[in-house]
Amino acid sequence: MPDADSRALVEELLHSVMQLHGSGLSQMLEIALPRDGGTYQALIDDPTLRSLLLIHDLHPLTLEERMDQAIAKVLPYMKSHGGDLQVVEIVDGTVKLRLKGTCKSCPSSAITLDLAVRAAFEEFCPDLVGFEVLPMEPDPVPVPAPAEKLVCLGEAALA
Protein backbone atom coordinates (compact mmCIF):
# COMPACT_ATOMS: atom_id res chain seq x y z
CA MET A 1 0.00 0.00 0.00
CA PRO A 2 1.37 3.37 -0.95
CA ASP A 3 0.23 5.29 2.13
CA ALA A 4 -0.54 4.68 5.78
CA ASP A 5 -4.23 5.68 5.46
CA SER A 6 -4.87 3.07 2.76
CA ARG A 7 -3.05 0.43 4.78
CA ALA A 8 -5.08 1.26 7.90
CA LEU A 9 -8.34 1.06 5.92
CA VAL A 10 -7.43 -2.37 4.48
CA GLU A 11 -6.48 -3.65 7.94
CA GLU A 12 -9.78 -2.38 9.37
CA LEU A 13 -11.77 -4.06 6.59
CA LEU A 14 -9.86 -7.31 7.03
CA HIS A 15 -10.44 -7.20 10.78
CA SER A 16 -14.19 -6.67 10.19
CA VAL A 17 -14.38 -9.61 7.77
CA MET A 18 -12.51 -11.85 10.22
CA GLN A 19 -14.88 -10.86 13.03
CA LEU A 20 -17.90 -11.62 10.82
CA HIS A 21 -16.51 -15.04 9.85
CA GLY A 22 -15.63 -15.85 13.47
CA SER A 23 -19.11 -14.89 14.66
CA GLY A 24 -20.68 -16.98 11.90
CA LEU A 25 -18.60 -20.03 12.73
CA SER A 26 -19.33 -19.67 16.43
CA GLN A 27 -23.06 -19.45 15.73
CA MET A 28 -22.86 -22.48 13.44
CA LEU A 29 -21.29 -24.56 16.21
CA GLU A 30 -23.88 -23.40 18.75
CA ILE A 31 -26.71 -24.38 16.40
CA ALA A 32 -25.19 -27.78 15.59
CA LEU A 33 -24.30 -28.83 19.16
CA PRO A 34 -27.76 -29.15 20.76
CA ARG A 35 -29.21 -30.89 17.70
CA ASP A 36 -26.22 -33.09 17.27
CA GLY A 37 -26.90 -35.98 15.02
CA GLY A 38 -23.20 -36.17 14.26
CA THR A 39 -23.24 -32.75 12.61
CA TYR A 40 -21.23 -31.04 15.34
CA GLN A 41 -18.57 -33.76 15.25
CA ALA A 42 -18.47 -33.65 11.46
CA LEU A 43 -17.95 -29.88 11.58
CA ILE A 44 -15.02 -30.02 14.01
CA ASP A 45 -13.49 -33.04 12.22
CA ASP A 46 -13.56 -31.47 8.75
CA PRO A 47 -9.99 -30.43 7.82
CA THR A 48 -11.02 -27.15 6.18
CA LEU A 49 -13.39 -26.16 8.96
CA ARG A 50 -10.84 -27.27 11.55
CA SER A 51 -8.40 -24.70 10.17
CA LEU A 52 -11.04 -21.97 10.18
CA LEU A 53 -12.08 -22.80 13.72
CA LEU A 54 -8.45 -22.66 14.82
CA ILE A 55 -7.89 -19.28 13.15
CA HIS A 56 -10.80 -17.90 15.14
CA ASP A 57 -9.82 -19.74 18.35
CA LEU A 58 -13.11 -21.65 18.28
CA HIS A 59 -11.97 -25.27 18.02
CA PRO A 60 -13.22 -27.13 21.10
CA LEU A 61 -10.27 -29.55 21.28
CA THR A 62 -6.84 -28.64 22.62
CA LEU A 63 -3.68 -29.09 20.58
CA GLU A 64 -2.82 -32.13 22.71
CA GLU A 65 -6.22 -33.74 22.09
CA ARG A 66 -5.93 -33.18 18.35
CA MET A 67 -2.37 -34.50 18.42
CA ASP A 68 -3.67 -37.67 20.08
CA GLN A 69 -6.15 -38.00 17.19
CA ALA A 70 -3.33 -37.62 14.66
CA ILE A 71 -1.21 -40.25 16.40
CA ALA A 72 -4.20 -42.60 16.70
CA LYS A 73 -4.57 -42.37 12.94
CA VAL A 74 -0.98 -43.48 12.16
CA LEU A 75 -0.35 -45.77 15.12
CA PRO A 76 -2.06 -48.89 13.68
CA TYR A 77 0.23 -48.72 10.65
CA MET A 78 3.31 -48.25 12.82
CA LYS A 79 2.28 -51.04 15.19
CA SER A 80 1.74 -53.39 12.23
CA HIS A 81 5.47 -52.94 11.57
CA GLY A 82 6.41 -53.48 15.22
CA GLY A 83 6.84 -49.80 15.95
CA ASP A 84 5.42 -47.20 18.25
CA LEU A 85 5.54 -43.45 18.58
CA GLN A 86 6.14 -41.48 21.74
CA VAL A 87 5.45 -37.78 22.20
CA VAL A 88 8.31 -36.54 24.35
CA GLU A 89 7.25 -32.91 24.74
CA ILE A 90 5.72 -29.89 23.06
CA VAL A 91 7.86 -26.76 23.13
CA ASP A 92 6.80 -23.49 21.50
CA GLY A 93 4.36 -25.24 19.15
CA THR A 94 6.87 -27.89 18.08
CA VAL A 95 6.30 -31.48 19.14
CA LYS A 96 9.29 -33.69 19.86
CA LEU A 97 8.77 -37.34 18.92
CA ARG A 98 10.66 -40.57 19.36
CA LEU A 99 10.21 -43.84 17.49
CA LYS A 100 10.15 -46.95 19.61
CA GLY A 101 10.09 -50.67 18.96
CA THR A 102 11.46 -52.44 15.92
CA CYS A 103 10.30 -49.56 13.73
CA LYS A 104 13.25 -47.49 14.90
CA SER A 105 15.71 -49.78 13.15
CA CYS A 106 13.65 -49.98 9.97
CA PRO A 107 15.40 -48.15 7.12
CA SER A 108 12.10 -46.66 6.01
CA SER A 109 11.21 -45.32 9.47
CA ALA A 110 12.30 -41.79 8.52
CA ILE A 111 10.06 -41.95 5.46
CA THR A 112 7.20 -43.29 7.60
CA LEU A 113 7.54 -40.34 9.95
CA ASP A 114 7.97 -37.83 7.21
CA LEU A 115 4.92 -38.99 5.26
CA ALA A 116 2.43 -40.58 7.62
CA VAL A 117 3.00 -38.56 10.77
CA ARG A 118 3.47 -35.25 8.96
CA ALA A 119 0.25 -35.77 6.99
CA ALA A 120 -1.69 -36.67 10.13
CA PHE A 121 -0.33 -33.65 12.02
CA GLU A 122 -1.13 -31.34 9.10
CA GLU A 123 -4.68 -32.72 9.06
CA PHE A 124 -5.40 -32.63 12.79
CA CYS A 125 -2.99 -29.92 14.01
CA PRO A 126 -2.52 -27.28 11.32
CA ASP A 127 -1.61 -24.86 14.11
CA LEU A 128 1.40 -26.97 15.09
CA VAL A 129 4.61 -25.18 14.14
CA GLY A 130 6.43 -28.42 13.39
CA PHE A 131 7.76 -31.66 14.74
CA GLU A 132 11.22 -32.93 15.51
CA VAL A 133 12.30 -36.54 15.65
CA LEU A 134 14.68 -37.02 18.55
CA PRO A 135 17.59 -39.46 18.26
CA MET A 136 16.66 -43.03 19.01
CA GLU A 137 17.37 -44.23 22.49
CA PRO A 138 19.86 -47.07 22.36
CA ASP A 139 18.54 -50.47 23.28
CA PRO A 140 19.38 -51.19 26.89
CA VAL A 141 22.45 -53.37 27.26
CA PRO A 142 21.48 -56.46 29.20
CA VAL A 143 23.19 -56.46 32.58
CA PRO A 144 24.15 -59.94 33.73
CA ALA A 145 22.76 -61.02 37.05
CA PRO A 146 25.28 -60.54 39.84
CA ALA A 147 27.35 -63.63 40.38
CA GLU A 148 27.04 -65.41 43.68
CA LYS A 149 29.90 -64.54 45.99
CA LEU A 150 32.26 -67.42 46.03
CA VAL A 151 33.66 -68.19 49.43
CA CYS A 152 37.06 -69.70 49.64
CA LEU A 153 36.99 -72.78 51.86
CA GLY A 154 40.16 -71.58 53.49
CA GLU A 155 38.45 -68.28 54.45
CA ALA A 156 35.44 -70.17 55.78
CA ALA A 157 37.65 -72.29 57.96
CA LEU A 158 39.38 -69.21 59.40
CA ALA A 159 36.08 -67.53 60.27
Side-chain angles (χ1 to χ4, degrees):
M1 292 276 137
D3 60 80
D5 290 339
S6 297
R7 220 177 0 261
L9 180 60
V10 168
E11 287 177 7
E12 184 180 335
L13 288 171
L14 184 57
H15 180 72
S16 295
V17 169
M18 292 294 289
Q19 279 187 316
L20 176 64
H21 285 178
S23 295
L25 288 168
S26 179
Q27 185 65 24
M28 180 180 64
L29 290 177
E30 286 183 34
I31 290 170
L33 184 59
R35 301 178 189 162
D36 191 30
T39 304
Y40 179 81
Q41 194 64 45
L43 291 172
I44 66 171
D45 287 345
D46 180 82
T48 303
L49 292 176
R50 182 182 298 117
S51 294
L52 289 172
L53 294 171
L54 288 168
I55 287 171
H56 294 285
D57 200 26
L58 295 171
H59 202 285
L61 300 179
T62 65
L63 175 62
E64 290 79 8
E65 291 169 324
R66 290 179 285 110
M67 191 178 310
D68 288 344
Q69 290 178 326
I71 292 169
K73 183 175 182 176
V74 296
L75 211 48
Y77 172 74
M78 295 183 80
K79 286 192 181 282
S80 74
H81 292 276
D84 201 353
L85 183 65
Q86 174 191 16
V87 174
V88 177
E89 65 180 341
I90 304 171
V91 178
D92 297 327
T94 298
V95 64
K96 296 184 180 188
L97 305 170
R98 181 170 283 127
L99 278 176
K100 298 178 86 176
T102 56
C103 195
K104 70 181 179 180
S105 61
C106 175
S108 65
S109 63
I111 296 169
T112 300
L113 269 177
D114 195 40
L115 298 177
V117 176
R118 185 177 303 273
F121 281 159
E122 286 174 357
E123 178 183 345
F124 289 91
C125 310
D127 52 331
L128 192 63
V129 175
F131 70 91
E132 176 185 345
V133 180
L134 299 175
M136 306 298 172
E137 291 181 336
D139 289 330
V141 177
V143 178
E148 303 258 344
K149 183 178 177 185
L150 298 175
V151 178
C152 176
L153 291 178
E155 288 178 10
L158 296 174

